[in-house]
Amino acid sequence: MEKTVYTLCFMCSVRCPIKVQVKDGQVRWIEGNPQVPGMEGSLCPRGSAGISLLYDRERLQTPLIRDGERGEGRWRKASWNEALDYVAEKLKKIISEYGPQSLVMGERTNLSTHVSKTFLKALGSPNHFTHDALCKGSVNTACRSLFGYTDAQIGIDYKNTRHIVLYGRNIFEAIAVKEVNGLMDAIQAGAKVTYIDPRVSVTATKADRYWMIRPGTDLALNYALIHVILQERLYDAAYVDRWVLGLSELQDFVQPFTPQWAEQETGIPADEIIDFARKISRDKPSVIFHYGYRGAHQQNEIHLRRSILILNALMGSVEAKGGIFFKKGPGALGKKPARKLTDQTLPKVTTVRFDKVGTPDFPLPDPAHGVPQVLTEAILKENPYPIKALIANRFDPLKSIPDTNGMKKALEKLDLIVTIDINMSDIAWYSDVILPESIYLERTDCIQQANGLKPQMFLRRQAVQPRYDTREAAIILKQLAERLDIGQYFPYQTMEELVEWQLEPTGFTLKDFEAKGFVAYGKDPIFWDRQDGIQFKTPSGKIELVSSLLENAGFPSFPPYPKAPEPAENRFRLTVGRVALHTHVSTQNNPLLSELFPENVLWINTAKAKAIGIQNNDRVEVSSSVGSGTIRAFVTDFIHPEAVFMVHGFGHEAKTASRCFNKGLADNVLQENLTDWVGGSPALHDTFVTVKRVQ
Ligand code: SF4
């Protein structure tokens, strides 16, 4: 029997709509959902490798309970009842001794995040955090400081842009399919791409203008651009007069940051900075200074992100066609969104979070995502209180949080580590109990409320039966909740029942998703009126360059520029990034992807490598103040002499993930655990390393 299922990919967090062909209970073909504009049938390589994940014998197949020392890799198979009873009994004991706040759950944001949050709240723990905070905590805070919206509430109109500026946002390798297709359409229609990165990525090779910037100085470039734009009145004066507060303060602040000053700091010629500012302003307001991901990830990250967003504001590109826009929900059409379990009346949790977000110590990061990198110290120092249990839900703190050695020490202090995952991740390897999740092709999931220019809802539908003894995370947590006497907050037996419960207020039913995999609330894109209708959520209702969010918390909107330190002799700034063939830390063991990209290498500048006696393909030892490891060198002119670069996600320790075990080097073994204490992001590019040839 053959059938077509419209569903959602989950080979990465983008959740592209896909069309899956199933024959006799086997998945035969996956492609982008052709009925969704922007997908055009296409998939990225990871999405195409979904079938090989489904049939991978090395993925987790049954609940496991540890039978040796942590990290030893000895397990016994358990039934679901046995494993869930085991976890519930342990949790009861921990909670009665240390309180519910001693339980922390970290997860990769997913469609059932509201289920996880409900689970913790019902127990009385405030300690939920997401992987998102590691990628873009400070982007979130910067967006709120200027517009009152989080970054997740802002979209980018790639397709209609006339000029896009990317700060290490390696869009053609860190792929989201619709973004790539939209940008390629724009390029074909004549749009320009400017790319800024100490390394020549694939995106750099597609750009009209590429600047190999001195690592860590993106902020200096932006201050000089703002200087030129204000001095030459290149900004959208009508828009700025109507919507922007704090222009004169900004003008005073950037006065010393001339293009000539920036040339010294960034290595980019002053005349090119001036030329660029003049050229891009001709395309306003249909321009995008991309505010998300990568670029200089430093301890003053929030000010880089703010400077990027300020450039958008000066170009009048906020809520403009071909610029950035605020996502509209069903409320904009008088309709209702899908319900979440967190909409129920849940116990009020007033305990301080483990990361102290929301307290005077750390007032600004978004508690919806938290600050994951604080976990290590919170556990080790028992500050603000002892943490004794961790549930890692599709999230691997051993590969995602800087300073792996520090995290390993912290894990030793825990009485219980539980992993919910599809693969044997490193945190699974160190866990006491592993609860295997069905993969995205085997499960129906919670509703995806897709707000944007056209509000829609998407649904992940089960395409095939689970191949192994696995369950959906929303079912696993419900069954655990029942054992912990909080089952009343989980009013469903199956995923279909949960989805129907979510859909009740919307007027749509499960059946409505069958034809296309999504439903739309309306037909036309919704832009607010640029003269009178933009609904900024700041206290002033305007774009606040002088930010009440920052100033009320005691932080200046325009602090002095911190000069980027030059690395000492034979030291390099460690930079990291993505590749088109892998997602974070989760696909390195995929049968197809591991064959195509089996391990990472260390990019190092040719002249620098020569000076320290390193040749291409040599094995080198890379060391920082917190760790070291070996990796092969890739000697190239395509990286700035002050930086080295490696793809994130390698150096796995779990032996049963045999294709990626011990391949390449983990960047976070080397990264110092440094934080932007205003915005919340980890400073992933503020570690300096030495490199030497392994004899
Ligand atoms: S970008 Fe690729 S891996 Fe991610 S959801 Fe889309 S197709 Fe899947």
Side-chain angles (χ1 to χ4, degrees), residues 9 11-12 14-16 43-44 46-47 175-177:
C9 181
M11 291 297 284
C12 83
V14 173
R15 296 190 281 263
C16 290
L43 281 185
C44 83
R46 301 159 300 162
I175 293 175
V177 172

Side-chain angles (χ1 to χ4, degrees), residues 154-175:
I154 302 173
I156 295 178
D157 185 10
Y158 293 95
K159 195 178 168 85
N160 295 302
T161 196
R162 293 176 54 77
H163 196 145
I164 185 166
V165 186
L166 302 162
Y167 298 80
R169 172 71 182 99
N170 185 7
I171 206 162
F172 293 126
E173 289 190 272
I175 293 175

Side-chain angles (χ1 to χ4, degrees), residues 34 75 84 120 148 166 194 197 335-336 397 434 503 511 553 581:
W75 308 94
L84 291 170
L120 282 183
L166 302 162
T194 293
D197 194 327
K335 299 191 176 159
K336 291 257 168 45
I434 301 175
L503 287 174
K511 211 170 168 26
L581 288 152

Side-chain angles (χ1 to χ4, degrees), residues 413-434:
K413 289 195 69 166
L414 299 184
D415 291 347
L416 179 67
I417 307 173
V418 179
T419 290
I420 301 172
D421 211 323
I422 58 171
N423 286 317
M424 184 62 89
S425 60
D426 282 5
I427 187 64
W429 190 250
Y430 276 84
S431 288
D432 304 308
V433 182
I434 301 175

